[in-house]
Amino acid sequence: MEITLLIQALVSGLLASGLYALVAVGLALAIGVIGIVNFAHGEFFMIGAFLTYQLAVSFGLDPVVSLLLVAPALFVIGALLYRTTVHYVLGAPELNQMLLTFGLGIILQNVALLVWGGDPRTVPAIPYRSASFQLGDVTFGAVLVGSFLVSIALVGGLYWLLLRTPTGRGMRAVAQNRIGASLVGLEVDRTYLLTFALSAALAGIGGVMIAVIQSPTPMVGLTYTLKAFAIVVLAGLGNIRGILWASLLVALSESLVANLVPNGGSLRNAVFFAIIFIVLVVRGRKGGAA
Amino acid sequence: MKRTLITTLAALLCAALAQPVQIGILSPLTGAAAGTGQAQLAGFELALEEINEAGGVLGEPLELIVEDTQATPAVAQAAFEKLMTEDGVGIIAGGYSSNVTLSLVESFRTFQPIVTWIGGASSGIGIDGFDGIEELIGEEEWFFHIHPWDYHNVTAATDYVASTEAETVALLHEDSAFGGPGAAAAAGLLEDAGLDVVLRESFTSTLLGGSGDFRAAITKARATDADMLYWIGYDSDVVPLTSQVRELGYTPEYIFGAPPGWPAEFASSPEAQCVTGLIGFLPNLPNPEAQEFTRAYRAMHNADPENYMAALAYANLWALADAINAAGTTDRDEVIAALEAGTFRSPMGDWSFTDSEITSHQGFGAEMWLVFQYQNGVREIVYPIEKATAPLQTCN
């Protein structure tokens, strides 16, 4: 029984890491390329969840189909917000940038509150929400497996985009040296816009998944913003490759504590705060020594 | 000339004295509990319109000063102090969340307005090392608690559980001031009723920063093979919890949840089938007060009063208006006396304040609660039997 519980905990942690990675990678992209800490990242996620809900209620669209509409919608919303707000604070002190995105997040929460109300909503009648399959005594939730595969595919796709395409190389060049990139003819502002929009689209896809897994509320993004920050800090700011490992570490730690410790479900948040604490202290000591 | 002057002065004096009565409202209109706060506001708004159409309070239109607590102690604290110092109100109504209420108790005691509180269930009685709202408030004359205490909730739930054929219970609960004391009380009462609580496991609610992954707790419950899964959490926990119970193949005979509200559209979700829960009010209650309230609520808000906090807020404001009118003054002691003596209207029927375990002004108790069950997309009342609209079904 204990071995089964341990394996189940490892499987749950592994599968949960996919969604964590998807949300975190968008945040890491904005930090790494644009250099802006986007506190509204979770709200893109929340809007993706509510759009999925609305498409299901109004048109009966399955969330899998919604994915094809929500991702472009969030891309456009991200681009618009970049052009109308973020664009104007790129040269401002970091604190001002953070205040702007924090304010954007609050505005988006309240827009959602006005449009959809404060009650948790339910995407009705998803036939596969509770589906699962067994491998021995270990249960694999269909939604968890699906979200894990989609997340890994998207993170892999993003990695490919950054490494193998001219657009991605442009992003990396701008991230490394904004002035140098502009001197060799790269349109820095356009690259920023594309990056911010892509980051929003990735969060939106995460939102589609969360609309399936739980109930969208105007505040649903906050939890995942915190997780994403924890993972980005673990991976190192802007280190997209490290996101996968950091997501796996956070998700596995949470799952193991929740499953193997009595009342461990209450300790999930303590786990990831403890991880951040340890990493920051260790990094700080190394930095101090250097 | 002299008579004209005296008449004018008298008129001005009357106008100055006839200030409208103002009541301060504290409610989580934004933030994680905004759904409940908005439901409260909708109930207050309906009562306010009816009160003012009926002549207002002391001959003047009643006024509300509404402040958003965001369900956050620090924000609630600032909102309450603003109502006391800036607005100068003498009566506070509304309220939600045990955490927020606990943080306000000492501020209430400092300013001592009349407080008629419709949220905050955490009593603390019977839990060593934890002082709940009821224990901290004590017998203060200015505090009127309208919502049932957690032991009322648990008594109602336990009565229902004992009426089923369940013998073993797996108890899952969220870990804040709502679910922790609630689970302690539930475990005790369930054991007293002869049931065997084979697991007591906590989780972090999605309302309070949890990720909505309850698989660990459910896996432990599944291992017990208990007849009933009994959980205490918030409405945002309903969908992940019920779907993960199915996903992990746990098939208890009964699933009973005790959140303050239930998510919109959940009834049409397959995971809802056979889930039972407590609720203080349902639009399909057959009593005439409920039907009239539902009709008026629909007319004003173009929606059904799904969250029972709307009905409690409605009852709260009408009680204050009736008490002030009965007292004929806003004098604090006389309004308190009128609240103590009065019988008030509500969508659930007439009610008045009585003693609870500690406090001397308790509105509703265990009798308010109904147990409903999701049956084929409809919330049917299944307990108490005399109010049942359908028989209870098991999940297998």
Side-chain angles (χ1 to χ4, degrees):
Chain A
M1 179 56 211
E2 287 305 315
I3 290 293
T4 305
L5 193 63
L6 178 65
I7 297 170
Q8 183 74 62
L10 291 171
V11 166
S12 293
L14 172 69
L15 296 179
S17 71
L19 182 57
Y20 284 8
L22 181 63
V23 182
V25 81
L27 185 68
L29 197 62
I31 295 172
V33 176
I34 311 172
I36 190 160
V37 179
N38 180 16
F39 282 107
H41 189 67
E43 276 58 51
F44 292 141
F45 184 78
M46 175 269 293
I47 290 174
F50 270 121
L51 287 178
T52 308
Y53 158 79
Q54 199 59 54
L55 288 167
V57 170
S58 301
F59 305 106
L61 282 192
D62 187 277
V64 174
V65 181
S66 299
L67 205 68
L68 305 173
L69 299 173
V70 171
L74 262 295
F75 186 91
V76 171
I77 290 170
L80 282 173
L81 282 176
Y82 173 82
R83 181 55 71 197
T84 53
T85 59
V86 176
H87 168 72
Y88 295 102
V89 298
L90 290 175
E94 283 179 358
L95 184 62
N96 292 22
Q97 295 176 347
M98 289 182 200
L99 281 173
L100 173 80
T101 58
F102 188 68
L104 269 178
I106 291 174
I107 290 169
L108 291 174
Q109 282 172 18
N110 283 281
V111 167
L113 189 62
L114 282 173
V115 175
W116 289 288
D119 283 326
R121 318 302 300 201
T122 309
V123 178
I126 301 173
Y128 48 83
R129 178 156 47 205
S130 306
S132 63
F133 57 90
Q134 293 278 131
L135 214 62
D137 290 332
V138 179
T139 305
F140 293 76
V143 170
L144 263 186
V145 172
S147 68
F148 176 77
L149 294 176
V150 171
S151 298
I152 296 304
L154 285 168
V155 174
L158 178 68
Y159 202 61
W160 173 81
L161 174 91
L162 289 171
L163 289 184
R164 300 272 182 255
T165 67
T167 306
R169 288 193 195 105
M171 286 177 173
R172 286 162 55 215
V174 169
Q176 283 171 17
N177 190 325
R178 174 182 172 178
I179 296 169
S182 68
L183 285 174
V184 295
L186 281 171
E187 291 190 46
V188 173
D189 194 50
R190 199 170 142 201
T191 306
Y192 282 171
L193 182 143
L194 182 66
T195 304
F196 200 79
L198 195 57
S199 168
L202 288 169
I205 294 170
V208 175
M209 295 175 189
I210 218 67
V212 178
I213 296 167
Q214 48 178 283
S215 298
T217 68
M219 297 296 287
V220 77
L222 185 62
T223 301
Y224 287 88
T225 303
L226 289 175
K227 300 269 185 203
F229 272 111
I231 291 162
V232 168
V233 168
L234 266 179
L237 294 182
N239 179 5
I240 291 170
R241 190 185 298 187
I243 291 290
L244 282 177
W245 298 111
S247 302
L248 192 61
L249 177 65
V250 170
L252 278 179
S253 305
E254 285 185 350
S255 182
L256 287 170
V257 169
N259 277 281
L260 303 181
V261 175
N263 293 312
S266 298
L267 300 173
R268 278 179 185 269
N269 286 356
V271 169
F272 88 90
F273 278 121
I275 292 173
I276 298 175
F277 178 77
I278 292 166
V279 167
L280 288 178
V281 167
V282 170
R283 286 214 180 120
R285 284 173 64 92
K286 281 184 181 170
Chain B
M1 178 65 186
K2 191 176 177 183
R3 179 176 293 175
T4 309
L5 188 63
I6 290 170
T7 310
T8 308
L9 281 172
L12 285 171
L13 188 62
C14 286
L17 288 174
Q19 290 293 323
V21 175
Q22 293 183 324
I23 292 175
I25 303 290
L26 289 174
S27 200
L29 303 175
T30 60
T36 300
Q38 296 290 343
Q40 286 188 357
L41 185 62
F44 282 127
E45 285 173 345
L46 177 58
L48 182 70
E49 185 179 90
E50 290 181 3
I51 290 162
N52 286 337
E53 279 177 4
V57 172
L58 304 179
E60 293 292 326
L62 180 63
E63 287 183 6
L64 302 182
I65 302 175
V66 180
E67 293 294 333
D68 181 9
T69 67
Q70 299 176 18
T72 305
V75 178
Q77 192 81 26
F80 173 71
E81 287 179 12
K82 184 248 176 194
L83 287 171
M84 291 293 100
T85 56
E86 198 172 308
D87 301 310
V89 299
I91 301 173
I92 297 290
Y96 180 70
S97 158
S98 292
N99 284 337
V100 167
T101 312
L102 281 167
S103 75
L104 284 170
V105 168
E106 281 314 307
S107 298
F108 287 165
R109 186 164 282 120
T110 301
F111 289 95
Q112 301 201 359
I114 297 172
V115 179
T116 56
W117 206 244
I118 53 175
S122 177
S123 161
I125 290 175
I127 303 168
D128 292 338
F130 173 74
D131 289 333
I133 302 160
E134 188 177 21
E135 288 181 312
L136 290 173
I137 286 285
E139 295 178 340
E140 297 286 8
E141 58 169 8
W142 42 264
F143 187 75
F144 292 79
H145 189 241
I146 298 175
H147 192 283
W149 293 114
D150 46 17
Y151 53 79
H152 292 131
N153 309 350
V154 172
T155 299
T158 310
D159 286 350
Y160 153 70
V161 174
S163 78
T164 68
E165 293 176 1
E167 294 176 355
T168 51
V169 178
L171 179 58
L172 309 185
H173 66 93
E174 67 89 33
D175 54 7
S176 78
F178 166 56
L189 285 173
L190 289 167
E191 298 278 4
D192 290 346
L195 289 117
D196 189 8
V197 180
V198 292
L199 175 76
R200 196 164 136 195
E201 181 75 15
S202 64
F203 58 83
T204 300
S205 169
T206 51
L207 180 74
L208 301 169
S211 62
D213 185 349
F214 305 123
R215 291 177 182 84
I218 296 166
T219 301
K220 293 174 190 177
R222 182 182 64 176
T224 68
D225 200 26
D227 302 330
M228 174 175 283
L229 175 66
Y230 182 134
W231 62 273
I232 303 171
Y234 286 97
D235 40 1
S236 52
D237 301 325
V238 171
V239 168
L241 205 139
T242 55
S243 59
Q244 288 164 25
V245 165
R246 265 77 175 193
E247 176 194 303
L248 290 165
Y250 180 31
T251 53
E253 290 287 310
Y254 307 95
I255 301 172
F256 176 76
W262 293 81
E265 301 100 5
F266 180 61
S268 60
S269 171
E271 290 79 14
Q273 182 65 21
C274 95
V275 171
T276 53
L278 281 185
I279 199 155
F281 175 83
L282 273 174
N284 58 352
L285 264 176
N287 58 309
E289 299 95 333
Q291 291 175 8
E292 177 52 29
F293 170 73
T294 301
R295 184 203 61 72
Y297 189 98
R298 280 179 186 148
M300 177 180 245
H301 298 295
N302 201 27
D304 272 348
E306 295 284 2
N307 189 314
Y308 74 95
M309 282 289 180
L312 280 184
Y314 178 87
N316 184 1
L317 199 61
W318 260 115
L320 282 168
D322 285 343
I324 297 168
N325 279 331
T329 171
T330 53
D331 177 80
R332 182 174 174 278
D333 292 342
E334 296 204 34
V335 174
I336 288 174
L339 283 167
E340 287 172 338
T343 297
F344 305 107
R345 67 195 81 185
S346 90
M348 292 76 80
D350 285 353
W351 64 287
S352 49
F353 289 102
T354 56
D355 292 344
S356 62
E357 291 291 328
I358 296 177
T359 61
S360 40
H361 303 138
Q362 178 60 34
F364 293 93
E367 78 292 339
M368 184 186 83
W369 295 114
L370 307 163
V371 177
F372 70 88
Q373 183 172 43
Y374 288 102
Q375 295 182 2
N376 304 316
V378 177
R379 284 199 283 189
E380 300 283 6
I381 298 168
V382 294
Y383 192 84
I385 301 296
E386 62 272 17
K387 292 180 182 172
T389 56
L392 176 69
Q393 297 175 357
T394 56
C395 294
N396 290 321

